[in-house]
Amino acid sequence: MEEGDKRALANFLDTEGYIGIVRHRDTRRARPNIHFIPLIVIANTEKPWLEGIKTLWGGEIYRLPKAKIEHDQCWHLRISGARLMTILSEVLPYLRIKATQAELTKELQRRINQRVGIDLKGRLTLAELDHRERLYRECKLLNTRGEVIPEEPEQPRPKIQLSLLEDN
């Protein structure tokens, strides 16, 4: 990938894209499974442009339903799996806004690739499930729109000394 292409993709991901982790609960079984999926999504109304990106970097294009009739048709290019690691490694030095999300997403994909925290039955250990949940929540907080104001613990009110209130 050429440097100009890396910069352009990083800029587009920073402004129009999504880099994050999706949590999926499979409830079809008696014991529900939770899956964490690292994902890159680029949204655009120009499908040919997304097809050009798909040719270069892979992924799948999905048509989104229109929110309103007067809106243009929107398309999503979704990239996951091994291609996600390659792309994030290439564009990470150029990301300005979503570099932390890229790092968290890469960490999850690395853990998936190396089968970290998988028991003998092929299930996630509780410690690994907690770790992946932490990555998911951290990434979700970073991707929250608008200003996030942390909750401050309620301060105890100072006690009023009654003797000061009495008239002498």
Side-chain angles (χ1 to χ4, degrees):
M1 188 182 311
E2 294 181 23
E3 294 304 307
D5 291 340
K6 293 177 189 179
R7 281 190 185 98
L9 181 58
N11 183 45
F12 205 85
L13 285 171
D14 268 340
T15 57
E16 301 286 332
Y18 169 83
I19 301 171
I21 299 168
V22 175
R23 181 175 57 191
H24 174 71
R25 293 177 186 209
D26 184 1
T27 57
R28 293 176 291 180
R29 300 178 183 193
R31 180 178 160 215
N33 284 345
I34 298 175
H35 304 280
F36 296 93
I37 305 162
L39 193 62
I40 294 173
V41 179
I42 301 172
N44 202 292
T45 57
E46 298 295 326
K47 186 178 179 186
W49 190 83
L50 291 175
E51 287 170 344
I53 293 177
K54 179 182 175 184
T55 302
L56 291 173
W57 299 301
E60 295 296 324
I61 296 176
Y62 297 91
R63 179 176 168 256
L64 295 179
K66 290 183 177 185
K68 294 183 178 178
I69 293 175
E70 62 271 13
H71 287 182
D72 289 342
Q73 181 62 57
C74 189
W75 305 87
H76 272 186
L77 172 65
R78 296 181 192 172
I79 302 168
S80 60
R83 292 297 302 158
L84 175 125
M85 284 292 275
T86 304
I87 292 169
L88 290 180
S89 296
E90 296 277 340
V91 301
L92 188 59
Y94 305 104
L95 288 171
R96 295 175 186 252
I97 299 168
K98 297 180 181 166
T100 307
Q101 291 95 315
E103 290 287 355
L104 294 168
T105 304
K106 275 181 65 176
E107 181 184 345
L108 176 60
Q109 188 62 52
R110 181 191 59 78
R111 296 179 83 80
I112 291 169
N113 291 349
Q114 295 176 357
R115 300 185 53 77
V116 174
I118 306 291
D119 66 14
L120 296 174
K121 293 184 178 181
R123 295 181 296 205
L124 290 176
T125 62
L126 290 178
E128 182 62 17
L129 193 60
D130 286 345
H131 186 78
R132 292 182 185 193
E133 180 72 27
R134 183 189 61 75
L135 292 173
Y136 163 75
R137 288 182 184 275
E138 212 173 314
C139 209
K140 184 175 181 179
L141 182 63
L142 289 167
N143 282 324
T144 302
R145 291 182 182 172
E147 184 179 353
V148 177
I149 301 171
E151 290 184 25
E152 294 182 19
E154 192 172 313
Q155 299 293 327
R157 297 183 74 176
K159 293 182 179 177
I160 299 173
Q161 194 172 352
L162 292 177
S163 62
L164 294 176
L165 296 176
E166 296 175 0
D167 291 332
N168 289 334

